Amino acid sequence: MAQRVKRGPDRKGRFGPYGGQYVPETVMQALAELEISYRKLKKDESFLTELRGYLSDFVGRPSPLYFAERFTAFLSGPKIYFKREDLNHTGAHKINNTIGQILLAQHMGKKRIIAETGAGQHGLATATVCARFGMECIIYMGAVDIKRQAPNVEKIKLLGAQVITVESGSKTLKDATSQAMRDWVTNIRSTFYIIGSVVGPHPYPMLVRDFQSIIGKETKRQCKEKFSRLPDVIIACVGGGSNAIGIFDTFISEKSVQLIGVEAAGHGLNSGRHAATLSKGKPGVLHGSYSYLVYDDDGQIILPHSISAGLDYPGVGPEHSALSDSGRVKYVSATDKQALAAFELVSKLEGIIPALETAHALAYLIANKKKFKVRQKVVVCLSGRGDKDMANFSENDKD
Ligand SMILES: *Cc1c(COP(=O)(O)O)cnc(C)c1O
């Protein structure tokens, strides 16, 4: 039975104590403008019709809910379904959000788009929609990630975007995000900043969630069509948390549905080399918002580690921090090794190469199959396809 659950953000842009706007004065102004435009357009039928049109004809939605028959047989437990976000244009859930934000940018009269990217998936999804709408596009990416994700970098350039290499700090996503924020502060009038996950200052965690919530809405309908009830369990991997909140959103009020988010445990939760923000972190401020972060023993935000570049972020969306505190969502983790094994197993069993990010969600299921019952229906958010990860897999498969 659906129950009323108080959902954020509140008027101050907070989910419980988390979220908010920790930004310079000039950015406050821009965020206020963004929120006003978004709240207006969200109720505008012509905007929603436009958005639905692109989601269906450009992105390819609805994405199927697929019964993973051989994976189910392998687990000899619950029935497993994959929500196939890997079949979206550009191969992941990220485009649900970039299509929404670029339409917002257009309605706000912005001409210049900036974005940060780690794995390159958000950069690719942003460059794609910028090409489609003829907008100038600048992508900030760490030098280390540029090397790790060469195929995506080439695609981003082919699509006409400019890639700016970030050489500061750890040369990964955290530094690319800081640099994108600095660009935004400098060019705030002309520029729209497309943030790639449910992170950053309010209203981003809210609007990215809303654009991604299509995943859960479709899932709910498809479960009713396929097995005439709600699923028992939903599992998604958590980097910043956008695919997870996207599939969880409409189910948060459905108390019978167990929600599980899987973080990257890297070399292990006690190794100091992981990205398991909610499992091992504590709250602090990063990139304009207050949320859980991972620190080292000296209280410095750590350089996170995960085999998947998309989970390799020291923070997590503020709404996930609140959902973790309240216990409504259970946050667990899977290691690099477990993710690689799941990546290979599911490829061989289902003919679907999952993204290494997604493989963390699959790995949790494999390691914990005894916790589930045969009559249970489990939906895994198959957040993206793994073609981009082949080089990484071959390299790590040698030992
Ligand atoms: C970026 C990415 C993620 C992690 O981002 P979230 O915001 O946590 O969803 C997960 N899976 C894939 C395929 C990605 O590209």
Side-chain angles (χ1 to χ4, degrees):
M1 254 251 294
Q3 255 174 285
R4 283 178 85 75
V5 175
K6 215 167 135 228
R7 291 293 301 280
D10 63 19
R11 290 227 307 279
K12 295 205 164 100
R14 289 188 185 264
F15 303 88
Y18 305 109
Q21 298 177 318
Y22 295 83
V23 293
E25 208 45 49
T26 42
V27 175
M28 293 291 276
Q29 181 77 36
L31 291 170
E33 243 174 70
L34 174 60
E35 183 173 0
I36 289 165
S37 302
Y38 174 65
R39 288 195 188 276
K40 206 167 83 203
L41 287 169
K42 186 169 127 163
K43 286 182 281 190
D44 179 339
E45 255 328 300
S46 75
F47 176 80
L48 295 173
T49 303
E50 199 183 355
L51 176 61
R52 272 194 294 270
Y54 286 109
L55 286 172
S56 98
D57 299 351
F58 190 66
V59 175
R61 303 204 72 90
S63 68
L65 183 70
Y66 161 80
F67 175 48
E69 191 176 352
R70 296 190 66 220
F71 187 47
T72 294
F74 171 85
L75 294 173
S76 62
K79 290 211 164 27
I80 311 299
Y81 293 80
F82 292 163
K83 178 60 174 164
R84 298 290 308 276
E85 294 301 297
D86 61 313
L87 293 179
N88 294 340
H89 183 40
T90 69
H93 65 291
K94 296 253 168 39
I95 197 155
N96 303 327
N97 169 46
T98 58
I99 233 4
Q101 288 198 49
I102 199 125
L103 289 177
L104 248 176
Q106 276 212 319
H107 280 266
M108 293 176 72
K110 304 285 181 183
K111 298 273 179 279
R112 180 175 178 270
I113 301 292
I114 60 168
E116 83 295 332
T117 197
Q121 290 297 100
H122 176 56
L124 177 61
T126 303
T128 298
V129 297
C130 286
R132 171 60 187 80
F133 292 93
M135 301 262 238
E136 183 188 355
C137 181
I138 291 135
I139 306 290
Y140 287 92
M141 193 166 180
V144 169
D145 290 335
I146 286 183
K147 234 186 188 157
R148 286 202 282 196
Q149 305 288 334
N152 272 343
V153 177
E154 279 168 41
K155 284 187 214 163
I156 291 167
K157 287 181 179 163
L158 175 68
L159 289 160
Q162 185 191 349
V163 177
I164 297 185
T165 310
V166 177
E167 297 282 1
S168 56
S170 58
K171 307 180 188 181
T172 58
L173 179 58
K174 172 169 165 278
D175 314 285
T177 307
S178 303
Q179 194 110 339
M181 288 247 176
R182 273 195 291 276
D183 176 316
W184 201 35
V185 173
T186 315
N187 302 293
I188 203 122
R189 293 224 152 272
S190 64
T191 300
F192 190 103
Y193 181 12
I194 298 191
I195 291 186
S197 190
V198 282
V199 298
H202 176 71
Y204 281 101
M206 169 179 75
L207 65 90
V208 177
R209 173 195 69 195
D210 293 353
F211 288 135
Q212 291 293 2
S213 67
I214 181 91
I215 306 173
K217 288 193 188 110
E218 287 177 6
T219 301
K220 195 180 241 181
R221 196 181 70 226
Q222 290 165 324
C223 286
K224 286 189 176 150
E225 281 162 15
K226 282 204 155 52
F227 47 82
S228 310
R229 63 176 177 89
L230 297 174
D232 300 290
V233 184
I234 299 177
I235 305 180
C237 66
V238 177
S242 69
N243 86 90
I245 210 85
I247 196 164
F248 293 164
D249 187 58
T250 78
F251 293 100
I252 286 176
S253 57
E254 306 280 3
K255 287 299 169 67
S256 70
V257 183
Q258 194 189 345
L259 305 174
I260 300 175
V262 187
E263 300 189 301
H267 292 197
L269 281 183
N270 296 317
S271 65
R273 304 260 299 138
H274 61 76
T277 318
L278 291 165
S279 309
K280 295 294 278 187
K282 53 183 202 248
V285 171
L286 177 70
H287 298 144
S289 120
Y290 180 70
S291 194
Y292 275 76
L293 298 170
V294 278
Y295 298 91
D296 64 16
D297 294 338
D298 299 327
Q300 297 290 330
I301 294 171
I302 65 165
L303 172 59
H305 166 81
S306 167
I307 190 157
S308 68
L311 301 184
D312 204 349
Y313 182 68
V316 68
E319 190 166 14
H320 285 289
S321 292
L323 289 166
S324 174
D325 282 4
S326 75
R328 176 63 189 97
V329 180
K330 191 168 113 185
Y331 294 89
V332 295
S333 63
T335 64
D336 286 356
K337 238 191 179 141
Q338 290 176 307
L340 278 168
F343 178 87
E344 185 167 9
L345 180 81
V346 170
S347 297
K348 292 205 161 71
L349 286 177
E350 293 294 344
I352 295 168
I353 303 174
L356 271 176
E357 290 84 1
T358 315
H360 287 73
L362 299 164
Y364 172 78
L365 194 49
I366 295 166
N368 294 278
K369 60 179 183 181
K370 294 225 168 71
K371 290 190 183 147
F372 299 95
K373 300 188 182 76
V374 176
R375 56 166 181 76
Q376 286 189 307
K377 315 269 192 198
V378 176
V379 176
V380 179
C381 187
L382 211 92
S383 57
R385 64 175 184 234
D387 309 46
K388 67 183 175 60
D389 299 310
M390 282 316 296
N392 207 339
F393 174 72
S394 314
E395 206 173 283
N396 281 279
D397 197 37
K398 281 184 200 116
D399 46 67

